[in-house]
Amino acid sequence: MVFCRKAPRLGATLWIETPMTQAKPVLRTEAVTRVYRTGSVEVHALRGVTMGLDEGEMVVLLGASGSGKSTLLNILGALDLPSTGRVFFRDRELTRASDRELTQFRREHVGFVFQFYNLMPALTARENVALVTEISENPMRPEEALERVGLGHRLDHFPAELSGGEQQRVAIARAIAKRPELLLCDEPTGALDSQTGITVLEALQQVNRDLGTATAIITHNAGIRKIAHRVIYLADGQIAREEINETPIPPSEVTW
Amino acid sequence: MVAALDRKLLRDLLRLWAQVLAIAMVLACGVMVLVLANGTRASLDLSRQSYYEDQRFADIFATLTRAPETLLPEIAAIPGVARIAPRIESAAIVDLPKMAEPVSAQVISLPASGAPVLNAPLLRAGRMPSPLKAGEVALYAPFAETHGLMPGDRFDAVIEGQRRTLTVTGHLLSPEHIYTIGPGAMMPDDSRFGVIWMGQEALAAAADMDGAFNAISLSLTRGAREEAVIDALDHLLAPYGGAGASGRDGQISHAFLQSELEQLGAMALVIPPIFLAVSAFLVNMVLGRLIALERQQIGLLKAVGYTTRSIGWHYLKLSLGIGAIGIVIGWVAGIELGRAMTRLYTDFFRLPVLIYAPSAWPFVLSAALAMLTVVAGAWRAVGASVRLPPAVAMSPPAPPSFRRGMTDRIGAALGLRQTTMMILRGVTRWPGRAAITLFGVAASISVLIASYFTFDAMALMVDEIFFRANRQHVTLILSQSQTEAVLEDAAHLPGVLMAEGTYSLPVRLIAGPKEELTSLTAHKPDATLSRLIDSDSQPVTMPAHGVVLPEGLAAKLGLSPGDMLRVEALAPPRETWDLPLSATIRQTVGQEAYMSAPALYALMRRAPQVNRIHLRVDAAQYPALFEAAKSTPQIAGITVWTAIRTQFEATINENLTISTVIYAALGMLITLGVIYNAARIQLSERAHELASLRVLGFRRSEVGYVLIGELIGLTFLAIPLGWLAGYGFAALVTQAFTTDIVSLPLVVSRATYTKASLIVLATAIGAALLVRRRLDHIDIVQALKARD
Ligand SMILES: Nc1ncnc2c1ncn2[C@@H]1O[C@H](COP(=O)(O)OP(=O)(O)OP(=O)(O)O)[C@@H](O)[C@H]1O
Ligand SMILES: [Mg+2]
């Protein structure tokens, strides 16, 4: 299975004029379960999750600790495979792909942002972004990606010389520089104070709006749900309920 | 009950087993070489010593033409002389039906009654010959065994021009013949050279030596000055054709054994430090990493009240554990290899008993050095970390700070990929670690070069000796020098295509306080069979005047071309000449002096003489030539060059192959230890980074490149360093292997450089791939969960 490199992508302007209604799922899961076995103990982290992530959509995943949010996100990003069930990226079934093809999928289509930035300490901000643009087909310039997250003036700083929020924005720049179709964020503001968290969320929302990147954000902060188009509540490895948010608010208005 | 900390220690050792073993193996190499070299040397030395004592090995040896026994009281009266043992020596050609070519032998007289006062042979089989029965002889045991000559068997020999049938009564060994080498030979060959002992009366009758002797050995009283006795002896023997007395160092068997002992000593001095140093670095590297990983545990231990000392001791014990494993492996390998090496020695050195019986001290010494090594390696890593206050130890280490510098400009200029930049910054961030890798890999290469170059040196020796210098097929050694008319006779022997005569006389070379006994050969300027060659393997045009010396001999005498030296002829005309050293030549086997023939004869005021004849021979006619030689009384010995070459090559291949395999293994172990540990540390430190790369969509191969690229790059950088070090190491080896008979040329071929580099490179890649495999088991998700 080979993923098509030129996946159809809607222009940003077009998308803003025609929200939600015409959207098709970029990624969807069918009855996904995930069982962890440690010795004799079995942990059912996911118990049949069926969901989709549409083009240009921003989704927030909420749920108690241990409810399976990270597990689901990792499966969406092909970092992990479900125990049963299927995952599709457009028409391709990820659950049948080889390890090599999954790598290729992440390389071309997915951007990740984690709680602990995961930057390369030996590379400067610009180089951390270049790390990804060098292996992408149609990336933006590293400088452009960093400007988008408001770091145009910190290009040549090493991670150790940046604040936590700045590091997280470098991570976002690195995730979006290849113009991915999917942006998966696991507690991107978890290690940040509210003010810095807002800047990071603004960067994410802006990317989602300007580039039409389907974005999933895990958070423990229920207030953040208001910036999303849709909110998925996970409980005990299942989707407890969903909420459509007709009018997302800017992060600066989030009550932290 | 085992304390909790000690249980942690055992678990750490088990968990890190591969790294622990990799270091222990490198350490074991150092321990092994110490035990092997010192143990073998001690065993060899001990057997030699008791052999010398039991058989009364002499201190001074001299040969002469003929002196009456009435001279003996005067010799015995030389101050410092304890005992004297005169005897008659001669040469024989042995005619053995199974050997086409004539076999040479040295003939030695046994006193009319009793055992020899000095150099008493040791009976191994049968009985000693009866002094009353002229036809009874005893044979050198290895020679007799090779030819199946058992007590009671008979064989024919030509002694002093007379053909006789001799009866074997027994097999002997002798302290003078621990290492036996025939005239013109380069290695011991029991099939072509032997020793015959016969009653004094019988030999005296054959050699016309009634009431006379032509060889004598002396033992010294305690505290006697050897040089003084030699001078007095030379003075007494000079009128009787004394060819210059020498101490034990001039006795071939003793000198060879001695040089072997010295080589073992050099091996024990040069090689172990390399391995010990590498292990110390490795211990430092691995322990440093372990402690960095366990900072928080250290902080916790301190918080609950463990003392700094007990924590330091805990980590020190871990390194002592590595040391203990290395010592045990090294001891076992050292004993096993020591046994094997001793077995090998019994083929060369004919000692009555030679068993590998190492004393305790090499074991104690090697263990002490190994423990010292690991403690030295651990000291800094342990010291720095355990001193951290608990609060600091509990917090994660500050992220490594990288600085902008040269690397960035280079990277930008070359448009390097970011993954390559990560590698470069890693090297510049931890230059010490890169230096250890460089040093270790270079050491590996140098060990390999120093071992493989011996093949180059031997190939050069074979080429020079057999194809450039000695182009004769056969050399006849005459019992007495004759006029050049003898060449006519030689030319008429069966199959002879060309005959060329040379003459050599025994001389003493004197340069200031330094003296050497050797022979001076009259070299015909137009000689085409036996040629002299220079250090580029090219034939040398013989200078019309002055002496030509091999480089090694000139160096020993401290002479360079243009210097004057004194040449004392130890055969008629027994004069002393002051001559310039006009040139040096390369001679890998034998260290003799040369002079242009006309110049030498002019000095001697004699007509040209011949005591060696070089022949080119039609190969089909060898049997006929050998047959003729066996029945020609004037021929005292015969050298068949192709036979020497075959034997030389066989011996080299056998012995060199064994030692080369061992050294190659040693060399590879260093690289394995260094690269494996460095890669494991890289993996441990960068697991998080590498997992992040996988998340970003980098393929396994690309992530693998980040992991091992640095190490392989450093390996490449180390190659030229290894070449340099290897050349220096090879120079040391040539010095260690140079004896009075053989001087190893210092040549390292491109093939050797290439081979050493490729082996090390392959080992490095193999070691790195071993670690890279672990990359496949990294759980990406797990690695991203924690911050470190
Ligand atoms: N590698 C693992 N082995 C065993 N169990 C695991 C593993 N990873 C996750 N789990 C379990 O699976 C369940 C879901 O974990 P997951 O990390 O998805 O939770 P989460 O919703 O992200 O929680 P949090 O908000 O604390 O990050 C938990 O009960 C967790 O203990
Ligand atoms: Mg989680």
Side-chain angles (χ1 to χ4, degrees):
Chain A
M1 181 169 103
V2 173
F3 291 99
C4 91
R5 295 210 61 125
K6 289 276 167 271
R9 192 176 276 148
L10 295 174
T13 38
L14 176 66
W15 183 83
I16 284 169
E17 284 166 16
T18 56
M20 299 305 291
T21 44
Q22 288 185 354
K24 347 171 202 166
V26 184
L27 200 67
R28 64 193 164 84
T29 66
E30 277 178 12
V32 159
T33 70
R34 179 69 168 92
V35 184
Y36 289 109
R37 284 189 187 81
T38 35
S40 54
V41 188
E42 285 196 355
V43 179
H44 293 261
L46 294 178
R47 306 165 182 264
V49 173
T50 302
M51 64 158 287
L53 195 55
D54 293 342
E55 272 177 10
E57 189 182 22
M58 179 178 273
V59 170
V60 160
L61 291 170
L62 282 174
S65 181
S67 56
K69 304 181 294 293
S70 297
T71 305
L72 178 61
L73 196 84
N74 289 339
I75 288 174
L76 290 179
L79 292 177
D80 194 9
L81 288 171
S83 304
T84 62
R86 303 200 288 174
V87 182
F88 292 90
F89 171 69
R90 300 196 187 280
D91 303 330
R92 324 271 164 171
E93 190 184 335
L94 294 180
T95 27
R96 282 208 195 155
S98 68
D99 178 69
R100 203 181 162 76
E101 288 161 342
L102 292 180
T103 302
Q104 192 65 28
F105 162 69
R106 291 200 298 272
R107 191 174 180 132
E108 289 175 4
H109 306 292
V110 193
F112 287 98
V113 178
F114 294 95
Q115 181 177 359
F116 300 116
Y117 334 127
N118 293 306
L119 297 177
M120 304 294 143
L123 299 180
T124 61
R126 190 208 313 254
E127 289 166 343
N128 260 288
V129 179
L131 184 67
V132 165
T133 58
E134 276 171 2
I135 59 166
S136 318
E137 194 147 275
N138 180 28
M140 50 181 95
R141 289 182 305 108
E143 294 78 5
E144 184 191 336
L146 284 163
E147 269 155 25
R148 275 183 187 278
V149 295
L151 280 179
H153 58 295
R154 284 275 193 273
L155 295 177
D156 291 322
H157 288 240
F158 284 104
E161 301 161 341
L162 295 171
S163 75
E166 285 169 333
Q167 288 186 55
Q168 189 61 297
R169 282 184 283 157
V170 174
I172 294 172
R174 185 176 68 180
I176 60 159
K178 63 177 156 194
R179 305 180 201 274
E181 281 151 274
L182 277 170
L183 192 56
L184 304 176
C185 314
D186 195 343
E187 298 186 43
T189 59
L192 305 175
D193 64 66
S194 59
Q195 200 45 53
T196 323
I198 287 166
T199 15
V200 164
L201 290 177
E202 277 171 343
L204 286 175
Q205 196 178 53
Q206 195 195 341
V207 166
N208 168 263
R209 204 178 283 146
D210 294 357
L211 303 177
T213 311
T215 307
I217 302 173
I218 291 179
T219 179
H220 276 286
N221 186 337
I224 292 176
R225 73 179 191 280
K226 293 192 178 142
I227 70 167
H229 299 116
R230 186 153 61 104
V231 185
I232 297 178
Y233 291 88
L234 278 182
D236 206 13
Q238 284 173 314
I239 296 182
R241 62 193 169 92
E242 285 186 52
E243 243 174 50
I244 304 283
N245 195 357
E246 297 295 350
T247 49
I249 60 167
S252 54
E253 288 169 26
V254 169
T255 43
W256 209 261
Chain B
M1 210 198 96
V2 188
L5 262 188
D6 287 337
R7 275 208 298 276
K8 170 179 176 308
L9 180 85
L10 279 176
R11 288 206 192 107
D12 281 344
L13 278 174
L14 287 178
R15 186 169 53 85
L16 298 171
W17 71 270
Q19 281 170 275
V20 166
L21 194 66
I23 302 175
M25 289 301 280
V26 176
L27 192 65
C29 288
V31 171
M32 185 267 280
V33 173
L34 273 172
V35 168
L36 168 71
N38 284 320
T40 315
R41 185 166 71 140
S43 306
L44 208 53
D45 202 16
L46 206 68
S47 349
R48 179 180 75 162
Q49 188 138 359
S50 63
Y51 192 28
Y52 278 2
E53 272 167 27
D54 294 349
Q55 304 308 120
R56 304 182 294 279
F57 186 57
D59 294 308
I60 291 173
F61 304 80
T63 58
L64 51 146
T65 320
R66 185 183 202 279
E69 284 172 353
T70 50
L71 189 65
L72 293 176
E74 276 186 72
I75 296 175
I78 296 175
V81 172
R83 298 202 227 182
I84 62 170
R87 68 187 188 191
I88 301 164
E89 287 178 9
S90 180
I93 295 263
V94 181
D95 185 4
L96 295 166
K98 274 182 251 163
M99 296 284 289
E101 60 200 90
V103 171
S104 333
Q106 185 187 17
V107 189
I108 296 175
S109 72
L110 287 168
S113 63
V117 175
L118 298 173
N119 306 324
L122 185 72
L123 191 64
R124 300 295 277 183
R127 59 171 175 83
M128 296 297 281
S130 155
L132 302 173
K133 294 193 181 147
E136 285 192 353
V137 295
L139 295 180
Y140 182 52
F143 173 75
E145 282 152 17
T146 306
H147 292 292
L149 289 167
M150 293 300 134
D153 290 352
R154 292 157 161 268
F155 66 97
D156 280 2
V158 180
I159 302 175
E160 298 290 335
Q162 295 157 356
R163 194 178 184 88
R164 316 156 152 252
T165 302
L166 302 169
T167 307
V168 181
T169 64
H171 295 172
L172 305 181
L173 286 179
S174 137
E176 289 172 279
H177 297 98
I178 295 173
Y179 184 91
T180 333
I181 192 162
M186 294 170 10
M187 305 232 151
D189 183 354
D190 292 326
S191 64
R192 291 192 182 78
F193 180 74
V195 185
I196 300 173
W197 281 268
M198 66 193 294
Q200 172 152 14
E201 241 172 275
L203 188 54
D208 189 20
M209 284 277 172
D210 264 329
F213 62 94
N214 66 2
I216 188 164
S217 43
L218 316 177
S219 65
L220 298 176
T221 55
R222 198 180 289 269
R225 266 187 61 232
E226 189 183 281
E227 305 94 90
V229 176
I230 288 177
D231 284 347
L233 183 62
D234 281 344
H235 184 71
L236 282 178
L237 294 181
Y240 305 99
S246 67
R248 284 181 175 181
D249 55 357
Q251 207 265 343
I252 288 186
S253 165
H254 177 88
F256 255 90
L257 192 44
Q258 188 63 31
S259 101
E260 187 67 30
L261 291 172
E262 278 160 19
Q263 278 172 38
L264 286 173
M267 180 173 161
L269 272 186
V270 174
I271 297 176
I274 298 178
F275 287 92
L276 295 182
V278 172
S279 344
F281 285 136
L282 290 180
V283 168
N284 180 277
M285 223 160 79
V286 170
L287 214 60
R289 176 58 193 160
L290 184 69
I291 289 172
L293 275 179
E294 295 184 349
R295 281 167 70 95
Q296 294 177 351
Q297 295 182 40
I298 295 173
L300 191 80
L301 287 172
K302 285 196 170 180
V304 302
Y306 278 89
T307 62
T308 299
R309 254 173 98 156
S310 62
I311 297 171
W313 175 228
H314 167 71
Y315 286 104
L316 215 53
K317 270 199 282 191
L318 187 75
S319 65
L320 293 180
I322 297 177
I325 297 173
I327 290 169
V328 170
I329 299 176
W331 280 358
V332 171
I335 292 173
E336 281 309 311
L337 277 174
R339 287 218 179 95
M341 191 134 153
T342 311
R343 263 198 303 280
L344 205 67
Y345 276 148
T346 53
D347 287 345
F348 280 91
F349 299 119
R350 306 301 185 161
L351 290 152
V353 270
L354 178 55
I355 41 165
Y356 180 69
S359 53
W361 75 264
F363 292 92
V364 174
L365 176 76
S366 61
L369 284 178
M371 285 306 186
L372 219 76
T373 299
V374 289
V375 170
W379 202 255
R380 264 195 51 187
V382 171
S385 299
V386 297
R387 261 183 271 116
L388 288 176
V392 177
M394 292 275 266
S395 62
S401 61
F402 291 87
R403 249 164 280 120
R404 281 157 292 274
M406 277 283 287
T407 341
D408 307 75
R409 264 164 274 149
I410 295 171
L414 297 178
L416 295 180
R417 291 210 149 213
Q418 299 313 322
T419 40
T420 307
M421 284 307 289
M422 288 171 68
I423 291 175
L424 282 182
R425 292 232 172 84
V427 174
T428 49
R429 179 66 184 72
W430 288 280
R433 210 185 273 170
I436 294 172
T437 308
L438 269 183
F439 169 74
V441 174
S444 259
I445 294 175
S446 73
V447 169
L448 286 179
I449 288 177
S451 130
Y452 286 130
F453 101 99
T454 47
F455 284 106
D456 299 334
M458 294 295 171
L460 183 85
M461 281 174 75
V462 167
D463 180 55
E464 285 189 356
I465 296 167
F466 298 104
F467 297 101
R468 291 175 190 273
N470 298 293
R471 306 197 303 165
Q472 68 271 35
H473 298 137
V474 170
T475 296
L476 304 177
I477 300 156
L478 304 186
S479 49
Q480 266 158 3
S481 59
Q482 307 201 14
T483 61
E484 284 199 314
V486 73
L487 292 177
E488 277 299 304
D489 301 339
H492 286 105
L493 286 170
V496 172
L497 305 172
M498 192 176 172
E500 206 171 85
T502 62
Y503 171 75
S504 47
L505 79 164
V507 292
R508 190 197 314 274
L509 304 180
I510 305 163
K514 294 176 184 153
E515 291 187 7
E516 283 294 323
L517 280 179
T518 182
S519 63
L520 177 63
T521 298
H523 194 84
K524 291 218 187 90
D526 58 350
T528 57
L529 292 185
S530 175
R531 303 190 300 182
L532 302 181
I533 50 167
D534 63 18
S535 49
D536 297 322
S537 306
Q538 294 308 309
V540 172
T541 328
M542 194 70 201
H545 299 284
V547 180
V548 172
L549 292 180
E551 287 155 356
L553 189 53
K556 234 170 156 185
L557 289 164
L559 294 172
S560 38
D563 294 350
M564 293 298 287
L565 75 158
R566 178 160 290 187
V567 179
E568 192 183 323
L570 299 173
R574 295 205 155 265
E575 290 172 1
T576 299
W577 305 303
D578 286 318
L579 299 168
L581 173 64
S582 48
T584 58
I585 54 166
R586 175 137 89 197
Q587 199 168 38
T588 49
V589 172
Q591 296 281 293
E592 291 166 14
Y594 295 86
M595 247 185 105
S596 153
L600 180 58
Y601 296 132
L603 274 177
M604 293 171 70
R605 296 183 306 279
R606 297 222 164 173
Q609 309 208 4
V610 173
N611 55 13
R612 268 165 204 253
I613 304 175
H614 303 305
L615 302 175
R616 273 188 93 80
V617 179
D618 173 4
Q621 301 258 29
Y622 272 122
L625 175 69
F626 293 152
E627 222 30 64
K630 283 176 187 173
S631 53
T632 305
Q634 292 91 331
I635 299 175
I638 183 162
T639 306
V640 182
W641 290 88
T642 44
I644 291 184
R645 193 178 93 215
T646 315
Q647 201 235 342
F648 183 67
E649 287 175 336
T651 314
I652 287 171
N653 281 337
E654 191 180 321
N655 296 316
L656 233 46
T657 308
I658 296 171
S659 63
T660 307
V661 166
I662 294 174
Y663 280 109
L666 294 187
M668 284 162 70
L669 267 177
I670 302 183
T671 297
L672 195 69
V674 170
I675 300 287
Y676 183 77
N677 274 301
R680 282 295 295 271
I681 288 170
Q682 291 266 4
L683 179 65
S684 139
E685 283 181 350
R686 307 175 91 172
H688 194 61
E689 244 176 280
L690 299 175
S692 300
L693 283 176
R694 291 282 288 138
V695 169
L696 292 178
F698 281 81
R699 300 195 184 95
R700 282 182 206 283
S701 56
E702 291 163 329
V703 178
Y705 164 71
V706 175
L707 175 67
I708 68 179
E710 172 180 338
L711 296 171
I712 301 305
L714 286 173
T715 302
F716 272 105
L717 269 184
I719 287 176
L721 288 180
W723 287 348
L724 270 179
Y727 189 81
F729 206 171
L732 275 180
V733 172
T734 55
Q735 269 169 29
F737 276 75
T738 293
T739 63
D740 280 349
I741 294 187
V742 178
S743 68
L744 208 60
L746 178 56
V747 279
V748 185
S749 71
R750 264 190 221 151
T752 294
Y753 285 123
T754 313
K755 197 156 124 193
S757 316
L758 287 181
I759 289 179
V760 166
L761 193 60
T763 311
I765 292 175
L769 287 183
L770 271 182
V771 177
R772 188 205 169 277
R773 267 197 349 204
R774 292 176 166 259
L775 210 57
D776 297 343
H777 305 304
I778 281 193
D779 184 341
I780 307 177
V781 177
Q782 209 61 32
L784 290 176
K785 258 189 195 162
R787 192 173 179 147
D788 197 3

